[in-house]
């Protein structure tokens, strides 16, 4: 794996001028952030050596290099999901590469179902912690000491300083903000009402199909993480209605400017 990470990193470095300081992973319906990046270069995933090959969805996305909030960033427009059939190593490979490129922080976004009854569809939730409900963990297998420790600490998965700054930014800009726990599971099915209830009972506020693997791998390499969920549908008893991927995308796109503003202002503080 190490050889592949290094190969991909050097391939990308040959194609860019500025080394990114921050990596950003854009979730479902949240690609709008890309429009405000001062663009330097885009590279399609299919053109990147060793990047996972797209399975189901035609073209899988691209890396965007440029400036946002005065910082050199690399954004993943489109991520790899476990439910698509990628291994956990494939899902998280780009995070490894971003670390080797030089990122000092990782920002992530996702669409999720709200299970805290105080949350409304269209709300934002800053992740203060997560629960890994995926059937596996991306760090299973032989540990590569050069990447990180065998038993990584997860007590500070989401950087408190970044969370506090983001809460202040949201308040200063009149954006309603929640802080909560994200449960990550495989999908691709949305949850049954009983599953939503179960996930609520074990302490989560929102549930989705991403983010957790990438954060685990980022923390393995000691990268401070910051993540935002858009609540795109409700898993609260009495509020549950049929949910489609299209609705998830629509709600996420509508809420996206609020998330972009928080990311941009937070970048300015780094
Ligand atoms: N459950 C799981 N993943 C999701 C949901 C949900 O309700 N909404 C958006 N992604």
């Amino acid at each position: 794996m190490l050889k592949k990470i290094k190969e991909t990193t050097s391939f990308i470095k040959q194609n860019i001028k500025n080394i990114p300081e921050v990596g950003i992973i854009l979730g479902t319906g949240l690609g709008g952030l890309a429009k405000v990046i001062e663009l330097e270069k885009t590279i399609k995933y299919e053109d990147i050596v060793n990047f996972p090959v797209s399975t189901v969805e035609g073209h899988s996305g691209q890396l965007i290099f440029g400036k946002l909030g005065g910082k050199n960033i690399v954004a993943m427009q489109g991520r790899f999901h476990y439910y698509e059939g990628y291994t956990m190593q494939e899902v998280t490979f780009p995070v490894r590469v971003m670390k080797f490129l030089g990122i000092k922080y990782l920002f992530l976004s996702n669409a999720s179902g709200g299970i805290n009854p105080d949350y409304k569809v269209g709300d934002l939730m800053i992740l203060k912690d997560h629960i890994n409900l995926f059937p596996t963990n991306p760090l299973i297998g032989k540990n590569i000491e050069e990447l990180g420790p065998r038993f990584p600490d997860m007590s500070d998965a989401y950087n408190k300083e970044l969370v506090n700054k983001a809460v202040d930014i949201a308040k200063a800009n009149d954006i309603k903000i929640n802080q909560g726990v994200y449960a990550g599971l495989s999908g691709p099915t949305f949850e049954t009402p009983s599953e939503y209830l179960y996930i609520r009972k074990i302490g989560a506020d929102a549930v989705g199909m991403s983010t957790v693997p990438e954060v685990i791998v980022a923390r393995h390499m000691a990268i401070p993480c910051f993540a935002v969920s858009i609540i795109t549908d409700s898993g609260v008893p009495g509020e549950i209605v049929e949910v489609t991927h299209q609705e998830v995308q629509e709600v996420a796109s509508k809420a996206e400017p609020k998330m972009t503003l928080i990311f941009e202002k937070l970048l300015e503080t780094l």
Side-chain angles (χ1 to χ4, degrees):
M1 175 156 71
L2 205 50
K3 189 167 161 272
K4 281 192 172 175
I5 298 166
K6 288 178 178 170
E7 252 175 32
T8 306
T9 306
S10 75
F11 167 82
I12 293 173
K13 277 188 174 163
Q14 283 161 23
N15 282 278
I16 56 170
K17 277 205 310 281
N18 297 306
I19 293 300
E21 293 165 72
V22 181
I24 303 177
I25 302 179
L26 299 173
T28 303
L30 297 166
L33 177 139
K35 292 195 205 96
V36 297
I37 298 171
E38 269 174 65
L39 193 68
E40 179 197 321
K41 172 101 187 168
T42 60
I43 314 178
K44 288 198 179 75
Y45 293 161
E46 61 245 45
D47 296 332
I48 303 176
V49 61
N50 298 330
F51 247 52
V53 175
S54 167
T55 51
V56 272
E57 289 170 16
H59 63 96
S60 50
Q62 58 184 0
L63 288 184
I64 304 174
F65 294 87
K67 263 199 162 61
L68 188 65
K71 300 290 180 306
N72 289 312
I73 59 116
V74 50
M76 287 182 68
Q77 194 173 34
R79 57 148 62 90
F80 300 98
H81 295 93
Y82 186 66
Y83 63 73
E84 292 174 88
Y86 298 109
T87 64
M88 279 294 188
Q89 282 66 36
E90 289 172 321
V91 167
T92 56
F93 183 75
V95 179
R96 299 287 191 198
V97 171
M98 288 193 280
K99 166 74 180 182
F100 275 62
L101 280 173
I103 66 162
K104 302 283 182 282
Y105 300 92
L106 181 65
F107 289 11
L108 308 95
S109 61
N110 62 58
S112 69
I115 47 178
N116 181 325
D118 296 335
Y119 295 2
K120 296 276 165 288
V121 167
D123 274 5
L124 265 55
M125 181 189 90
I126 295 174
L127 277 66
K128 58 177 188 188
D129 205 356
H130 76 218
I131 302 174
N132 180 19
L133 294 180
F134 283 86
T136 183
N137 184 303
L139 302 181
I140 286 176
K142 192 175 183 306
N143 187 56
I144 302 171
E145 286 296 321
E146 201 175 330
L147 297 177
R150 170 72 292 185
F151 300 107
D153 177 69
M154 288 297 282
S155 65
D156 191 28
Y158 299 85
N159 185 270
K160 289 185 186 63
E161 209 177 308
L162 296 177
V163 169
N164 290 338
K165 279 190 203 173
V167 168
D168 290 345
I169 291 166
K171 283 189 184 144
N173 288 278
D174 268 336
I175 295 170
K176 183 191 171 195
I177 201 80
N178 304 294
Q179 287 181 62
V181 177
Y182 175 92
L185 38 63
S186 74
T189 46
F190 292 113
E191 289 66 36
T192 64
S194 302
E195 286 166 346
Y196 281 127
L197 205 58
Y198 155 73
I199 297 161
R200 177 68 185 149
K201 280 193 174 157
I202 62 169
D205 299 285
V207 54
M209 307 173 194
S210 67
T211 304
V212 168
E214 293 122 320
V215 169
I216 289 173
V217 164
R219 294 305 299 145
H220 183 230
M221 300 182 293
I223 306 172
C225 293
F226 172 74
V228 172
S229 279
I230 312 289
I231 307 299
T232 56
D233 53 275
S234 178
V236 174
E239 290 178 16
I240 301 170
V241 291
E242 192 180 320
V243 47
T244 65
H245 183 61
Q246 197 191 337
E247 275 162 7
V248 165
Q249 282 176 315
E250 280 167 14
V251 175
S253 315
K254 232 171 113 187
E256 177 273 322
K258 295 189 280 186
M259 183 206 77
T260 295
L261 187 136
I262 293 173
F263 275 20
E264 193 171 2
K265 300 260 181 227
L266 191 55
L267 283 165
E268 284 169 11
T269 72
L270 301 179

